[in-house]
Amino acid sequence: MEPDIRLPDVHFYLMDRIMKQARSLTREVFHRHEIEVTTDQWVILKAIAEKEGSSQQEISELTFREPAAITRMLDHLIKQGFVSKQIDDADRRKQLLFLTETGSQLYQRAMPIVKSIREHALTDLTEAERDTFRNILKRVYGAIQEDF
């Protein structure tokens, strides 16, 4: 029988540690550059920037965040003046999300910082290794979505 893998070598533990460290680093760098959003709020801003006019439900699905959490974050982002909601002309029950001018400026200011953090994290990997890493993560994600 194969011995248990020690916790520091468990893949999912390593992924969790990586994400916690990445969030911590992002929080620290955002603070240093006076980017006044949390890492979770940043993900919402990026999703809206990539798909302006999305509904709250679409952003929830895209970011893997619970609708209630999206509501709280959007309320904060709207209060800060980074996001606006507009009624969908085709379905008046639906509200569409857009970056405001202030939100767009914040996004433009933060994006190079986020890219540099990503680059720093992957600095020791070649482009081929990065592609392999991304593909492996996608395969693991696909497998974990399947019935167990």
Side-chain angles (χ1 to χ4, degrees):
M1 181 170 159
E2 188 175 325
D4 284 340
I5 299 173
R6 294 181 43 82
L7 186 59
D9 295 325
V10 173
H11 296 89
F12 292 102
Y13 177 77
L14 285 168
M15 288 188 294
D16 189 47
R17 283 186 57 201
I18 289 167
M19 291 311 303
K20 285 179 180 169
Q21 187 62 37
R23 284 178 186 278
S24 177
L25 176 62
T26 302
R27 205 173 24 252
E28 176 188 317
V29 173
F30 274 11
H31 179 73
R32 196 177 327 139
H33 289 272
E34 298 178 358
I35 306 291
E36 298 173 0
V37 293
T38 66
T39 54
D40 285 332
Q41 291 168 351
W42 166 254
V43 171
I44 303 306
L45 282 175
K46 178 144 178 54
I48 294 169
E50 289 179 0
K51 197 171 179 196
E52 292 245 26
S54 294
S55 69
Q56 188 169 328
Q57 179 63 35
E58 290 168 323
I59 295 299
S60 175
E61 291 168 6
L62 182 64
T63 62
F64 305 102
R65 303 293 196 284
E66 293 294 322
I70 295 290
T71 298
R72 286 189 302 276
M73 284 186 269
L74 282 174
D75 287 347
H76 189 72
L77 291 169
I78 289 167
K79 186 176 180 180
Q80 287 182 291
F82 298 138
V83 173
S84 68
K85 288 183 179 181
Q86 296 177 15
I87 302 288
D88 185 351
D89 291 334
D91 181 353
R92 302 204 43 82
R93 297 169 295 174
K94 194 174 178 183
Q95 294 186 343
L96 307 179
L97 303 169
F98 297 89
L99 293 184
T100 63
E101 183 61 34
T102 304
S104 185
Q105 289 171 359
L106 176 73
Y107 177 80
Q108 295 301 324
R109 196 164 54 96
M111 196 62 226
I113 295 166
V114 171
K115 284 182 179 178
S116 70
I117 293 168
R118 290 181 196 158
E119 186 60 34
H120 174 73
L122 300 173
T123 194
D124 290 340
L125 300 180
T126 67
E127 198 60 41
E129 289 171 326
R130 291 175 189 203
D131 289 341
T132 300
F133 182 52
R134 182 182 309 104
N135 290 331
I136 289 169
L137 289 173
K138 286 179 178 180
R139 286 175 38 207
V140 170
Y141 180 74
I144 208 159
Q145 282 187 302
E146 296 173 1
D147 287 338
F148 183 69

